[in-house]
């Protein structure tokens, strides 16, 4: 009888040992191994992404100087924006400049016709049709002087036709567009300039 009770007590003790061991094992798996494995996987993925970013940066490092130069050119263009696109149409001044550079390059039969204004965003576009006669040197000189006019002139289309008598004269027809900014843009820039001045005065 005593032996049976002893065996029963040993069986219960073994069950408790197995139960406690099972709990420890479950705790290790659920709260130790699995979270550690997840963190390890996250670290591996982060390391892979960082390696890819470094490789991409190294691959693009050779184009960085050219991109920097393009950025500088863009900055220079933006800084000259006010000079290239005025707030007023200044058509009289523009027509006078065109006539002057045509005469300078010995171009005759001068004809400059302005089209109807069109509004595009904050810019007003004015089509310009130019026609004249001269030799090729004069025509090319005209376009070079047009680039140095101090005002943005976009050439849309140019046609050159030789004289029928083969005298060396060329008739040029050119469609261009000039621009000036709207009052809304001017007021916005003045407001921004005023805000900057006020901020500087407040800091002083």
């Amino acid at each position: 009888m005593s032996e049976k009770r002893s065996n029963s007590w040993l069986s219960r003790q073994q069950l408790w040992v197995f139960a406690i061991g099972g709990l420890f094992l479950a705790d290790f798996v659920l709260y130790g191994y699995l979270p550690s494995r997840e963190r390890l996987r996250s670290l591996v993925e982060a390391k892979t992404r960082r390696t890819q970013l470094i490789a991409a940066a190294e691959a693009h490092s050779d184009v960085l100087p050219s991109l920097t130069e393009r950025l500088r050119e863009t900055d220079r263009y933006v800084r000259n924006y006010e000079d290239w696109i005025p707030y007023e149409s200044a058509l009289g001044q523009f027509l006078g400049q065109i006539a002057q550079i045509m005469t300078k390059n010995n171009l005759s039969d001068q004809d400059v016709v302005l089209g109807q204004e069109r509004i595009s965003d904050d810019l007003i576009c004015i089509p310009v049709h130019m026609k004249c006669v001269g030799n090729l040197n004069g025509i090319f000189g005209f376009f070079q002087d047009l680039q140095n006019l101090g005002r943005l002139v976009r050439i849309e289309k140019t046609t050159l036709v030789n004289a029928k008598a083969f005298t060396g004269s060329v008739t040029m027809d050119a469609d261009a567009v000039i621009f000036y900014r709207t009052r809304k843009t001017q007021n916005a820039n003045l407001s921004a300039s005023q805000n900057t001045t006020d901020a500087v005065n407040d800091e002083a």
Side-chain angles (χ1 to χ4, degrees):
M1 192 72 174
S2 172
E3 187 178 349
K4 288 183 178 179
R5 288 181 181 176
S6 178
N7 289 337
S8 176
W9 184 80
L10 287 174
S11 297
R12 289 179 183 176
Q13 193 176 21
Q14 288 176 348
L15 287 174
W16 277 109
V17 170
F18 288 142
I20 293 172
L23 289 174
F24 275 117
L25 180 62
D27 180 72
F28 171 75
V29 172
L30 294 176
Y31 299 101
Y33 174 72
L34 291 179
S36 298
R37 184 181 178 186
E38 186 65 27
R39 285 195 297 270
L40 179 61
R41 189 178 68 177
S42 299
L43 289 173
V44 171
E45 291 177 354
K47 181 181 178 181
T48 302
R49 287 195 299 269
R50 181 170 295 182
T51 303
Q52 291 173 347
L53 287 174
I54 293 173
E58 290 177 350
H60 291 87
S61 61
D62 56 337
V63 299
L64 185 60
S66 62
L67 290 176
T68 303
E69 182 59 30
R70 287 176 59 186
L71 180 61
R72 289 175 183 165
E73 291 178 2
T74 303
D75 287 341
R76 284 195 295 269
Y77 181 80
V78 171
R79 284 197 296 270
N80 293 330
Y81 180 76
E82 291 186 0
D83 296 332
W84 284 85
I85 302 180
Y87 285 116
E88 303 293 338
S89 61
L91 293 179
Q93 179 183 2
F94 173 74
L95 293 174
Q97 289 174 322
I98 293 296
Q100 183 178 1
I101 62 177
M102 282 184 174
T103 302
K104 171 189 171 184
N105 290 284
N106 299 316
L107 302 177
S108 60
D109 297 340
Q110 303 172 8
D111 186 21
V112 181
V113 180
L114 300 176
Q116 187 174 4
E117 294 182 352
R118 302 191 304 266
I119 298 178
S120 175
D121 295 329
D122 294 335
L123 295 177
I124 297 178
C125 313
I126 305 176
V128 182
H129 179 77
M130 298 175 287
K131 184 176 182 178
C132 58
V133 177
N135 58 32
L136 284 177
N137 287 334
I139 299 293
F140 290 131
F142 169 76
F143 281 113
Q144 288 177 346
D145 291 337
L146 201 62
Q147 285 183 327
N148 300 322
L149 198 61
R151 177 173 186 162
L152 181 61
V153 180
R154 187 177 71 192
I155 303 298
E156 301 284 336
K157 183 177 69 172
T158 303
T159 304
L160 300 176
V161 179
N162 285 319
K164 293 182 179 179
F166 299 103
T167 58
S169 294
V170 177
T171 300
M172 180 202 75
D173 281 280
D175 292 323
V177 179
I178 61 174
F179 308 89
Y180 70 96
R181 283 175 281 179
T182 62
R183 286 290 180 182
K184 180 175 67 174
T185 306
Q186 182 179 16
N187 294 335
N189 287 346
L190 288 175
S191 177
S193 176
Q194 182 64 37
N195 291 338
T196 303
T197 303
D198 293 342
V200 171
N201 291 335
D202 290 341
E203 291 177 359

